[in-house]
Amino acid sequence: MSLNFTAIDFETANSSPASACSVGLVKVRDGKVVDRAGWFIRPPLGHDQFQEWNVRIHGIRPEQVADAAGWVDQLADLVEFAEDDHLVAHNAGFDMGVIRAACAATFVACPEYSYLCSLQVARRTYTLDSYRLPVAAMAAGFDGFQHHDALADAEACAAIVIHAARHHEAATVEDLAGLTGARLGRIGIPVAA
């Protein structure tokens, strides 16, 4: 199995997708987790107010990110970790939207990545009452994690994709997308004028 990807998850300070305040990354090589990383992010100015609702969900408070590096300084670390991998996220539209919006808010180029949504994969792999991350992860044999901790959520996402790839006998992310009918999306691609 040459199933290689980086699972990613963001938490945000408020309803703005540019307000990333935490990221979790899990690197998978040949269908096995080989590395993980997570850190706080100081949201960009204008997107840095913490809403009570978000704090209740993830527990991250403004003082925890006050000394963290901002998006511009941390984007290089994110790209270095993910390398040229496919990115995988549960409800990937949200997480890819965070990357796009945070780049736009800080006037930096959005990195180019292809991505797969583990939520789409889960819907085409399991028969569940809900496809929320904790439920889908449990179906993949991964449970008991702290939901809304970015690193734990990235690990759960990775577990879903690894399990689904075995279930569908998919050797690669492209194979898994094809076998499940999940869309392999793209971010950071320049729009033709």
Side-chain angles (χ1 to χ4, degrees), residues 1-6 28-31 85-86 88 171-174:
M1 179 183 281
S2 56
L3 187 69
N4 300 327
F5 63 88
T6 294
V28 172
R29 289 290 175 266
D30 296 323
D85 281 357
H86 294 289
V88 173
T172 66
V173 168
E174 293 93 335

Side-chain angles (χ1 to χ4, degrees), residues 8 28 35 96 132 152:
I8 188 167
V28 172
D35 199 5
M96 299 308 115
R132 290 180 54 246

Side-chain angles (χ1 to χ4, degrees), residues 49-124:
Q49 290 294 101
F50 277 72
Q51 290 179 340
E52 181 183 340
W53 172 254
N54 293 63
V55 172
R56 268 195 269 147
I57 289 172
H58 53 56
I60 301 169
R61 308 192 70 66
E63 56 271 16
Q64 292 174 276
V65 304
D67 295 328
W71 180 261
V72 172
D73 296 322
Q74 294 197 23
L75 181 59
D77 295 333
L78 188 155
V79 169
E80 182 181 345
F81 186 95
E83 301 176 297
D84 294 326
D85 281 357
H86 294 289
L87 299 181
V88 173
H90 206 72
N91 191 15
F94 170 81
D95 297 282
M96 299 308 115
V98 168
I99 295 171
R100 282 188 203 100
C103 286
T106 55
F107 306 101
V108 296
C110 182
E112 295 182 21
Y113 281 103
S114 64
Y115 65 88
L116 180 69
C117 180
S118 62
L119 175 60
Q120 289 180 9
V121 170
R123 284 183 173 146
R124 292 164 174 93

